[in-house]
Amino acid sequence: MTAIILLNWNGADDTIECLESLAKVYGDFYVVVVDNCSADNSVERINDWIENHKDLQVYLLEENENHGFAKGNNVGLKFASRFAPDYYMLLNNDTEVETDFLDRLVGFAESHSEYKALTPKINYFYDKSKVWLCGGQLTFGSRKRFFHDVYDTDVPNRLFVPVTFISGCALFFHKSLLDTEGCLLSERFFFGEEDYEFSLRMKKQNVKMACVFDSVIYHKVGASRDKIADERKMGKDYSYYLGKLICCRLYYSPLKYAVIKLLTLPNCLCFFYISSSSVKKTLDVTMRLMEEADTKDGISRDDFQNYMLY
């Protein structure tokens, strides 16, 4: 049995569309929807949908605060664990899935038990023949996405490809990866880079991961982040680079981390200047970023909200 975790925040339209697609999926599974303290009528609408679709086993957890991505998913995992599933899957609510996507993942996991974490092939929702992501490879201080922005015809005709990076958008994994508290993701990050930290941690623990090409889902790319950040691009860039650098500081040697910071600097200066058109603000924000990367161990909800004001 597989437990699928969906995180909702002011996104009932997407969540219900995702549930509609899951209702057509083959396999033995149930769904846990965690509402991250939505300010709209999401809870009422999702509850209404559940009441009218008894054929799909769905549990709705209504939280009294916005936990962010990592903790919100961990809340769902802890609840789901009471039913003792063999596998879990974190799935973005702004996705829709093929009817056999889960059957393909479970089948691969059963026949290739050495791979403990999997991702389906994730295509764009609005151009279903185009690939958004097939996992990726961790590189020095970053990651390289596999088959990003290519068409299905350009993807190799093979069952799978080993990966060292998996996006939190669609993360299927064996129950053995849960920690002693029933969690998977590090809660040091409110929103963003939790999947990078996860991938670095899995590499350190020598956990094998793969992308299964014949399991396919479709992603409305960027819906969650755009909803949070609107057009404040500098804040999004700042949060991204800070999260990435914190991860690098935690998983690389001091010397390698120093080199990664130096290599990151030109991109930060470029993106911050494009966003602000101010040399002074670009320098001030970059200096703050480099200082916080050395001192912070995570990005809290308050931190994230402050960065979105940049």
Side-chain angles (χ1 to χ4, degrees):
M1 180 179 288
T2 302
I4 298 177
I5 314 300
L6 298 183
L7 194 61
N8 180 80
W9 182 70
N10 296 336
D13 286 343
D14 286 333
T15 298
I16 290 172
E17 288 172 4
C18 184
L19 290 171
E20 291 275 6
S21 72
L22 287 171
K24 303 170 186 174
V25 166
Y26 313 140
D28 186 13
F29 71 99
Y30 58 95
V31 182
V32 177
V33 179
V34 181
D35 184 77
N36 241 345
C37 197
S38 293
D40 60 6
N41 62 347
S42 282
V43 171
E44 292 81 3
R45 291 183 59 200
I46 295 169
N47 254 327
D48 287 344
W49 189 92
I50 295 171
E51 288 298 316
N52 290 306
H53 295 79
K54 296 296 187 181
D55 52 326
L56 181 63
Q57 188 176 1
V58 183
Y59 301 90
L60 175 60
L61 307 183
E62 184 179 357
E63 296 301 295
N64 58 12
E65 65 176 297
N66 185 352
H67 297 302
F69 187 83
K71 186 174 181 179
N73 275 295
N74 284 340
V75 166
L77 291 170
K78 289 178 182 179
F79 177 87
S81 67
R82 67 183 63 189
F83 306 108
D86 299 304
Y87 302 101
Y88 296 84
M89 183 166 195
L90 307 184
L91 183 65
N92 268 27
N93 71 318
D94 60 343
T95 60
E96 294 187 20
V97 302
E98 290 287 351
T99 55
D100 62 351
F101 96 103
L102 185 60
D103 196 43
R104 301 283 188 179
L105 291 172
V106 173
F108 182 90
E110 295 291 327
S111 59
H112 298 78
S113 58
E114 68 273 24
Y115 289 94
K116 301 300 183 184
L118 307 174
T119 182
K121 180 164 66 76
I122 308 173
N123 284 19
Y124 287 96
F125 178 80
Y126 297 107
D127 185 352
K128 291 182 169 61
S129 64
K130 192 173 184 181
V131 179
W132 177 62
L133 190 63
C134 289
Q137 177 182 2
L138 292 172
T139 60
F140 183 63
S142 190
R143 64 277 208 181
K144 176 185 177 182
R145 294 181 286 185
F146 286 162
F147 307 108
H148 175 61
D149 276 352
V150 305
Y151 286 93
D152 280 333
T153 52
D154 297 317
V155 176
N157 184 21
R158 53 191 296 191
L159 177 60
F160 75 101
V161 61
V163 301
T164 53
F165 172 78
I166 291 181
S167 168
C169 170
L171 171 53
F172 176 93
F173 63 94
H174 188 267
K175 61 185 178 181
S176 61
L177 295 189
L178 293 175
D179 65 19
T180 55
E181 296 181 353
C183 299
L184 181 77
L185 300 178
S186 170
E187 295 178 9
R188 67 175 69 243
F189 299 108
F190 176 74
F191 185 83
E193 298 312 290
E194 57 284 307
D195 51 6
Y196 182 47
E197 190 280 335
F198 165 80
S199 298
L200 288 167
R201 182 162 27 102
M202 292 301 100
K203 183 178 181 180
K204 184 177 181 180
Q205 296 174 7
N206 295 314
V207 173
K208 288 188 174 182
M209 308 195 296
C211 174
V212 181
F213 287 134
D214 61 1
S215 174
V216 183
I217 72 168
Y218 306 101
H219 185 206
K220 303 167 187 174
V221 177
S224 297
R225 185 174 292 272
D226 290 344
K227 184 162 52 184
I228 290 174
D230 297 323
E231 298 301 321
R232 297 170 181 141
K233 184 170 170 48
M234 179 178 280
K236 289 194 289 185
D237 287 339
Y238 189 95
S239 178
Y240 162 72
Y241 281 114
L242 178 58
K244 187 181 84 163
L245 287 173
I246 290 173
C247 287
C248 292
R249 196 184 86 232
L250 295 173
Y251 286 95
Y252 287 90
S253 69
L255 177 58
K256 289 182 178 179
Y257 168 63
V259 173
I260 290 168
K261 277 184 68 179
L262 187 62
L263 294 175
T264 304
L265 194 58
N267 282 340
C268 293
L269 291 169
C270 178
F271 284 117
F272 293 160
Y273 182 74
I274 290 172
S275 299
S276 67
S277 299
S278 166
V279 173
K280 183 180 186 308
K281 186 169 184 178
T282 296
L283 294 175
D284 289 346
V285 171
T286 302
M287 288 180 62
R288 179 177 177 179
L289 172 66
M290 295 300 157
E291 291 172 1
E292 290 195 328
D294 290 341
T295 57
K296 283 188 172 293
D297 289 328
I299 300 175
S300 69
R301 177 172 58 185
D302 289 343
D303 287 336
F304 184 81
Q305 290 173 341
N306 287 333
Y307 299 150
M308 291 306 108
L309 299 176
Y310 285 179

